[in-house]
Amino acid sequence: MKKILVVGSLNMDTTIEVPHMPKPGETLSGKSIRLVPGGKGANQAYAAGKLGGRVTMAGAVGDDSFGQALRENLEKVGVSTEPVEVLSGVPTGQAYITVDESGENSIIIIAGTNGEVTPAMAGQWTAFLEEADIVLLQFEIPLETVQYVKERAVELGKTVIVDPAPARTDVPEEFWKGISYIKPNETELAILTGKEAATREELCRGAKEMLEKGVENVLVTLGGDGCLLVNRDTEEFFPAEKVKAVDTTAAGDCFTAAFALGLARGWEVREAIAFGQKASAIAVTRKGAQSSVPDASEIS
């Protein structure tokens, strides 16, 4: 099996269940509060590890109880945390998540040590990049660091998967060249292109715009509706399995990790997408980020 390197964020999530999303100025009684390991990078590393992958996580945490707990949680599912730097004087990244009764969420992120992941730090991870076959990236660490890692991974001939979340409008045009897959949802695709991406036609048009920028494949996730694969040869829609969502936190991360793991196992793209959809369909029926991830035995 090929090796996966995830470079990105590690957060401790404070998840609050609410009857509905609070309106401006509204005081709302929450139903429960929990601390759950999270961060898009760590979520993807954890999911790929729990599903049976050979995974290494690179990033930074603080010299605090949250940082220790996040590393231990990854190691519990076989993820190597050797390139996770422990920084003194800076708190571990945190996220505050409200989840309503329909399972939808809103998230506030405090970068903490994630904001300290510099290109110089990433330069120390060359050996891990060289050993990896697939490199997963997101936008919860500084963009210049993501760009540095992406460029080194492309130079080394790695399969590069970018989850462009949280989406931003200041990504340099040259960043997209050489990326194997990007996995935006419809909102993120609209932000990246600056154009509406609501209808199937608009989604395909936006995806093709990203192809013109140099991306090889665009995989747009559409929540409970499914996902859309667009490259220079095809435009293919994959409907999702219908389930009752309890919490959508990290469902996209679970999909991305399972998809990457499918590629690591040598599966063709459609098989990897199907595996990602099955994993994320289970994740949304459970609460929390990493706590919602299934193991391989649960996916038929």
Side-chain angles (χ1 to χ4, degrees):
M1 184 186 297
K2 295 179 179 179
K3 293 183 179 180
I4 298 171
L5 173 67
V6 183
V7 180
S9 58
L10 301 97
N11 290 332
M12 184 59 77
D13 293 350
T14 299
T15 301
I16 304 169
E17 289 186 89
V18 294
H20 61 266
M21 293 299 172
K23 300 178 176 63
E26 179 182 13
T27 298
L28 193 63
S29 293
K31 299 171 66 177
S32 69
I33 185 168
R34 290 174 297 122
L35 289 175
V36 182
K40 291 194 73 63
N43 289 344
Q44 292 174 12
Y46 181 91
K50 189 173 182 182
L51 289 167
R54 301 170 65 193
V55 187
T56 298
M57 176 78 214
V61 296
D63 185 14
D64 51 33
S65 60
F66 284 171
Q68 181 178 347
L70 291 172
R71 285 182 288 122
E72 289 176 352
N73 199 58
L74 289 169
E75 291 163 3
K76 184 174 65 180
V77 293
V79 175
S80 169
T81 63
E82 186 178 348
V84 174
E85 306 285 340
V86 180
L87 307 181
S88 298
V90 185
T92 296
Q94 297 178 53
Y96 294 84
I97 305 170
T98 53
V99 182
D100 69 16
E101 291 180 342
S102 70
E104 290 300 320
N105 64 61
S106 62
I107 304 173
I108 300 171
I109 294 173
I110 308 298
T113 47
N114 295 316
E116 304 298 316
V117 181
T118 63
M121 182 186 293
Q124 301 174 32
W125 300 334
T126 298
F128 299 101
L129 267 172
E130 290 174 344
E131 291 174 0
D133 301 288
I134 298 171
V135 178
L136 266 63
L137 298 163
Q138 322 78 30
F139 286 173
E140 285 187 346
I141 60 173
L143 182 59
E144 61 266 28
T145 307
V146 179
Q147 185 162 8
Y148 170 82
V149 175
K150 171 259 166 181
E151 288 173 356
R152 290 290 293 121
V154 170
E155 288 171 5
L156 292 167
K158 309 303 180 181
T159 297
V160 179
I161 302 174
V162 176
D163 182 350
R168 47 197 298 169
T169 59
D170 60 345
V171 182
E173 289 292 303
E174 64 269 18
F175 173 79
W176 304 108
K177 295 177 181 177
I179 294 174
S180 310
Y181 298 88
I182 62 169
K183 191 219 69 68
N185 60 28
E186 62 266 58
T187 301
E188 292 155 357
L189 182 63
I191 292 171
L192 295 176
T193 62
K195 298 173 183 175
E196 287 291 325
T199 67
R200 182 77 61 84
E201 183 180 355
E202 289 170 343
L203 289 167
C204 287
R205 188 158 53 239
K208 288 177 180 177
E209 185 171 323
M210 299 308 298
L211 297 179
E212 292 303 314
K213 295 177 186 289
V215 176
E216 295 173 12
N217 298 273
V218 181
L219 189 53
V220 187
T221 50
L222 306 171
D225 292 330
C227 64
L228 181 67
L229 172 67
V230 180
N231 55 38
R232 298 195 181 278
D233 299 319
T234 189
E235 298 172 13
E236 188 169 354
F237 176 71
F238 299 82
E241 178 183 347
K242 296 303 178 184
V243 296
K244 180 175 175 51
V246 171
D247 182 355
T248 59
T249 305
D253 295 331
C254 187
F255 174 91
T256 302
F259 171 75
L261 180 56
L263 297 183
R265 287 175 171 162
W267 298 349
E268 66 102 26
V269 173
R270 288 165 183 80
E271 289 180 285
I273 289 172
F275 188 65
Q277 288 183 305
K278 289 176 181 178
S280 60
I282 294 172
V284 299
T285 66
R286 300 171 177 173
K287 296 177 181 179
Q290 293 171 31
S291 57
S292 70
V293 175
D295 59 39
S297 66
E298 298 178 83
I299 304 175
S300 56

